[in-house]
Amino acid sequence: MKKIILMAIAAIAITFASCGNKTNAGAATDSDTTKTELNADAQATVTNLTGELTKALQAKDGKGVIASLANLETIYKNLVEAGKLEEAKSYGTAIKEFINKNAETIKTVAAGNTTITSLVEGIKNLPTTASTTAEAAKSAVASDVVSLASPTIAKGATAVATAEAAAEAVKNAPTTVKNAACDAANNAVTTAKTAAENKVNEKVTETQNKANDAVNKAATKTNDAVNKATNKALKGLGL
C-alpha cells in the first residue's frame, strides 16, 4: 500500500515538473515578443475582424476568407503608418495567435488556394518582436494585400478609426431611419392632398356641367314655347 502511495506521489511530482518545463519553454519562445496591451478599440477591431474570418471559414467562403485575412494584415500596416508601432506589434501578436489556433480549419478552406496560403503566411511573418523597427513593419505588408482589403481599411483606417466609424454608423442609424420615416410621411400627406384636390376639382367640374346642361335645357324649352306662341298668333291672324 505504501509503495502504491509513493508511486502516485512520484507520478504527480513528475507531472508538475513537466508542466513547469513546458511553461518555461513557452515563455522563452515569446521572450522577445512585445507584450503591450491593446486598447479597447484595437481589441474590438481584433474581435470583429477575426469574427468575420470565422464566419467565412465556417461557410467555406473563399472570397470572404481572402478579404478577412487581407483586412487583418492591412490594419497592422495602418497602425504602423499612424505612428503606433507598439500597438501594431501587439495587434500582430494577437492575430498571429488566432491564425495558429485556427490553422487546421484554415487549411481545409485554403486547399489549392494560393492567395489564402500567401495571406496566412504574411500574417505569420508580421514583425512583432521588441526589436522591430517602423521601416521593417511598414515593408512587411505588400500593396497586393492592401488591394484585397475592404475599401475603408484599404484607405488607411487604423483600429481606432475603424471602431469609431462603426460607432458613428450605429449612432447615426436612428437619425437615418427617422428621416426616412419623415420623408415617407410627408410624401403620403402630399399624395393624399393631391388626391383630395383632384376629387374637389372633379366635383366642381361635374356641378358646372350639370348647371350648364340645366341652363341649356331651360333655354331650349323657352325658345320652343316662344316659337309655338308665335306660330299660334300668326295662324290667328290668317297668316
Side-chain angles (χ1 to χ4, degrees):
M1 185 70 179
K2 287 184 179 179
K3 286 183 179 179
I4 294 173
I5 294 172
L6 289 173
M7 288 173 67
I9 293 172
I12 292 170
I14 291 170
T15 301
F16 278 124
S18 243
C19 292
N21 287 337
K22 285 180 182 177
T23 302
N24 291 336
T29 302
D30 298 331
S31 61
D32 194 32
T33 300
T34 182
K35 296 294 181 182
T36 303
E37 292 293 329
L38 289 172
N39 60 38
D41 289 327
Q43 185 58 58
T45 299
V46 172
T47 302
N48 291 336
L49 294 182
T50 53
E52 289 178 1
L53 176 55
T54 299
K55 289 179 182 178
L57 288 169
Q58 291 174 343
K60 294 184 179 180
D61 175 10
K63 290 182 179 179
V65 170
I66 289 173
S68 297
L69 289 170
N71 287 342
L72 284 170
E73 197 169 344
T74 302
I75 285 291
Y76 173 92
K77 171 182 173 292
N78 295 346
L79 285 169
V80 176
E81 292 185 344
K84 300 176 181 180
L85 179 59
E86 294 306 313
E87 188 175 329
K89 289 189 284 187
S90 294
Y91 168 82
T93 300
I95 61 175
K96 279 183 177 183
E97 289 175 355
F98 178 86
I99 294 298
N100 289 333
K101 286 179 182 177
N102 295 274
E104 292 304 316
T105 304
I106 293 172
K107 281 182 183 178
T108 61
V109 181
N113 193 315
T114 56
T115 303
I116 292 178
T117 302
S118 176
L119 287 168
V120 169
E121 289 304 311
I123 291 175
K124 287 181 177 179
N125 293 326
L126 289 176
T128 55
T129 61
S131 59
T132 298
T133 63
E135 288 71 22
K138 285 180 182 178
S139 61
V141 181
S143 58
D144 290 345
V145 173
V146 178
S147 67
L148 294 172
S150 63
T152 301
I153 293 176
K155 287 179 182 178
T158 63
V160 174
T162 303
E164 288 178 347
E168 192 66 20
V170 171
K171 185 176 72 175
N172 287 336
T175 302
T176 304
V177 172
K178 180 180 177 182
N179 289 340
C182 287
D183 289 342
N186 289 333
N187 290 337
V189 170
T190 301
T191 301
K193 184 179 178 182
T194 301
E197 289 175 348
N198 288 339
K199 285 185 178 180
V200 169
N201 290 334
E202 287 175 4
K203 288 293 182 183
V204 169
T205 301
E206 183 180 349
T207 302
Q208 288 177 340
N209 289 337
K210 286 181 178 179
N212 291 334
D213 287 343
V215 170
N216 290 333
K217 286 179 180 179
T220 300
K221 285 182 179 180
T222 300
N223 289 333
D224 288 344
V226 169
N227 289 334
K228 284 180 180 180
T230 302
N231 290 332
K232 187 175 181 181
L234 290 173
K235 284 180 181 180
L237 293 173
L239 296 177

